[in-house]
Amino acid sequence: MNRTTLTLIGAVTALAAVTGVGALTVPDDDSSDSAPAAQRLPVERSTLVCPKPTESDLAKTEYTAFTPKGKAGGEGSAELLPAELADPAAPDDGAEDGGKDGEDGEDRDKEKDEDKDKEEQPGSAKPVLPLKQPGTPVTADTERAGAPALIGSADGPFAPGWTVQQTTTVSAGSGRGLHGTSCAEADTDFWFPAASSADQRQDYAHLTNPDDTAAVVDLELYGKDGPITSEAGREITVPPRSTVPVLLSTLTTEPVADLAVHAVVRTGRVAAQVHAVDDKLGGDWLPPTGVPRATAVLPGIPADATSVRLVVLAPGENDADLKVRLAGRSGQITPAGHETLHVKPGVATAVDLEDVTKGEPGSLILSPSDSGDDTPVVAALRVTRGKGSKQETAFIPATAPVEERASAADNRAKGSTLSLVAPGKAATVRVTASAGSDGGSPKSETYAVKAGTTMAVTPPRPSGGKGTYAVTVERQSGGEVYAARTLEAESGGVPAFTVQSLPDDRGTVAVPEAGQDLSVLTD
């Protein structure tokens, strides 16, 4: 039984509880009136999970939470709480923190005492990032290497469009650079192309269970030769309200440069993300791709990208033949030497597109070579900026369009770029900067995105605002729009950056029209 059917049954059951018997209002066959469209109402509850940030002692993690102003009223709240660490390789005795805690626990007890005075410090037992009102972001930060994953929920007026950004700056060492991710919803199926178990990479799949019952997850791996057998990746138990980080190199018998990872939840649900750390090229979070589709849009490649590597996989049983196009400022072009791409089922196909943007911001579009082919694919990019020892990487997965609205938290006075892509028809988009976390008032701009192009803009800033602010994208008219936000923070000559795709926030849900039909009580 699919999710739509369950939702419909739930609506009828709730109506029957009030009236004795309920029926959806459907016109008679001879009625000239059409059935009323389902009404879209704000969601009443949202759940998000932020993964465990970093192992580094040279890092600072900043969190920003935000809910756009909307039509939902009444009372509500939005906040997060720490998850337990349930990784068998890193027990709760402090080993995850690099061995700071001695066997007698004195150092650990001291750390706990210091945290007591930090009521909003991530990792304490008190709620983190509680929102006071929609439309204004709140922030928190930590420099603690052992900061935990966070699990939270929002309800009432705080639920529709609730978003939390986690941004970590690693100043030196392995993975130095900017690691950013949007805290994610729990689900049961995730794809991660562009992962790796190469010698210079340490990629962890972070599995976090927000619920009160255990979840069981399989991690399926695919390389250039097809599926990779890994018994260690099967039946991974994630205890209630806990997180389990799994090092991908422990699941392969030899290094694999380009991996596609499929996380399949057998029981329960989890939030899943991959954290990629490179010894020389920095690193970032690799979010899951959108639902496999015949056409994949990967928005927000920076203009100064020095290397772009594409990884594609066809998860079904059929081959996929794809056209490869780059949507730039003035239209779409075909990368020289990469006009088409043949993808075998179950094979992680990697292509080095080099400096495909040629100094111009762009987005990659993969579409069937044959218009009648509907073979779904998953895809992601590893994007590199800089040269030599001053390189940094980020990841861009294929994503879903902004149907109504999407938001990106943690925008700053400098270093934020918004990419808007209209792969088909032209579209009009309104972009609103929220009030700042330290004051100010919202400000909006409207942009016309030409068909087949990418528009990269500096988003508006709040009037008189200070501190961090959020950006909300709303599609006003026209065709499909895809969006991504790039955050830059150069440090020591390294062009540190992170890219977050902005799929629709699904802040509303369709509720079918229903009414009483007491005639069914009579013969």
Side-chain angles (χ1 to χ4, degrees):
M1 182 177 293
N2 61 34
R3 186 176 299 175
T4 303
T5 305
L6 290 172
T7 303
L8 184 59
I9 291 175
V12 175
T13 303
L15 184 62
V18 176
T19 65
V21 177
L24 295 177
T25 55
V26 180
D28 296 335
D29 293 340
D30 58 354
S31 172
S32 60
D33 296 332
S34 61
Q39 184 180 9
R40 297 200 69 86
L41 297 176
V43 298
E44 297 181 354
R45 185 177 178 84
S46 297
T47 300
L48 291 178
V49 172
C50 304
K52 179 177 171 58
T54 181
E55 305 287 336
S56 176
D57 290 324
L58 303 173
K60 178 180 180 180
T61 299
E62 299 171 90
Y63 300 87
T64 305
F66 173 74
T67 294
K69 285 187 176 180
K71 298 179 181 179
E75 299 294 326
S77 64
E79 60 187 27
L80 299 107
L81 290 170
E84 294 292 330
L85 180 65
D87 181 6
D92 291 337
D93 61 358
E96 177 86 350
D97 295 337
K100 289 183 178 180
D101 297 332
E103 292 182 1
D104 58 2
E106 290 180 359
D107 291 338
R108 185 170 64 253
D109 291 340
K110 180 180 179 181
E111 183 180 46
K112 289 181 179 179
D113 290 339
E114 291 174 350
D115 284 344
K116 287 181 180 179
D117 296 329
K118 302 178 181 180
E119 292 185 357
E120 293 187 357
Q121 175 77 11
S124 72
K126 294 183 179 293
V128 178
L129 296 168
L131 285 179
K132 297 180 180 179
Q133 61 181 357
T136 301
V138 297
T139 63
D141 62 75
T142 181
E143 296 184 11
R144 179 182 167 194
L150 300 175
I151 299 171
S153 62
D155 56 20
F158 296 97
W162 183 45
T163 182
V164 180
Q165 169 80 9
Q166 174 181 300
T167 307
T168 301
T169 303
V170 180
S171 58
S174 182
R176 57 94 181 97
L178 205 60
H179 302 235
T181 186
S182 296
C183 300
E185 296 179 349
D187 209 331
T188 58
D189 193 274
F190 307 87
W191 281 98
F192 302 94
S196 178
S197 64
D199 289 337
Q200 72 274 16
R201 287 268 292 269
Q202 286 189 316
D203 286 20
Y204 281 85
H206 287 249
L207 310 172
T208 308
N209 178 5
D211 298 325
D212 295 328
T213 56
V216 178
V217 184
D218 286 346
L219 291 179
E220 302 171 352
L221 307 181
Y222 300 84
K224 62 182 179 64
D225 298 319
I228 299 173
T229 302
S230 174
E231 290 300 321
R234 296 179 60 83
E235 298 187 20
I236 299 169
T237 299
V238 187
R241 303 191 66 80
S242 299
T243 189
V244 173
V246 180
L247 182 60
L248 296 185
S249 61
T250 65
L251 307 183
T252 60
T253 56
E254 59 185 21
V256 180
D258 299 292
L259 274 177
V261 180
H262 188 201
V264 184
V265 184
R266 291 189 178 192
T267 304
R269 60 176 190 157
V270 300
Q273 291 185 325
V274 170
H275 192 201
V277 175
D278 193 286
D279 291 341
K280 297 181 179 180
L281 302 179
D284 206 347
W285 287 95
L286 170 58
T289 67
V291 175
R293 300 175 62 182
T295 297
V297 179
L298 302 91
I301 306 173
D304 61 350
T306 53
S307 174
V308 177
R309 188 169 181 82
L310 168 68
V311 180
V312 188
L313 181 136
E317 298 180 353
N318 299 323
D319 291 15
D321 288 294
L322 303 170
K323 293 187 295 184
V324 181
R325 292 168 295 164
L326 180 74
R329 282 193 296 238
S330 57
Q332 297 185 14
I333 63 171
T334 300
H338 301 290
E339 294 81 3
T340 60
L341 181 63
H342 180 74
V343 182
K344 295 180 180 179
V347 173
T349 303
V351 178
D352 192 352
L353 301 176
E354 300 178 340
D355 57 339
V356 64
T357 57
K358 304 296 183 183
E360 179 178 312
S363 303
L364 202 69
I365 301 174
L366 308 176
S367 59
S369 297
D370 182 348
S371 59
D373 185 5
D374 60 355
T375 302
V377 297
V378 293
L381 299 172
R382 188 191 71 185
V383 180
T384 304
R385 297 174 67 218
K387 296 181 179 180
S389 62
K390 304 294 185 180
Q391 295 183 78
E392 158 74 321
T393 55
F395 296 90
I396 302 176
T399 188
V402 179
E403 297 177 4
E404 295 184 7
R405 184 184 66 182
S407 295
D410 192 7
N411 295 278
R412 307 169 188 184
K414 296 181 179 180
S416 293
T417 302
L418 181 66
S419 295
L420 304 170
V421 190
K425 299 179 180 179
T428 302
V429 176
R430 181 171 66 191
V431 179
T432 301
S434 74
S437 56
D438 295 326
S441 56
K443 184 177 181 180
S444 296
E445 296 283 352
T446 300
Y447 301 96
V449 187
K450 296 180 181 179
T453 68
T454 295
M455 174 181 283
V457 300
T458 299
R461 300 185 180 94
S463 300
K466 295 181 180 180
T468 299
Y469 66 99
V471 168
T472 298
V473 178
E474 297 174 280
R475 188 179 71 86
Q476 301 290 291
S477 62
E480 282 191 337
V481 174
Y482 295 77
R485 190 281 312 274
T486 300
L487 188 63
E488 302 177 39
E490 183 173 325
S491 176
V494 176
F497 74 116
T498 182
V499 182
Q500 278 75 57
S501 302
L502 304 180
D504 195 87
D505 65 18
R506 295 186 292 181
T508 61
V509 61
V511 179
E513 184 77 15
Q516 299 180 9
D517 184 3
L518 300 181
S519 65
V520 298
L521 299 176
T522 62
D523 294 331

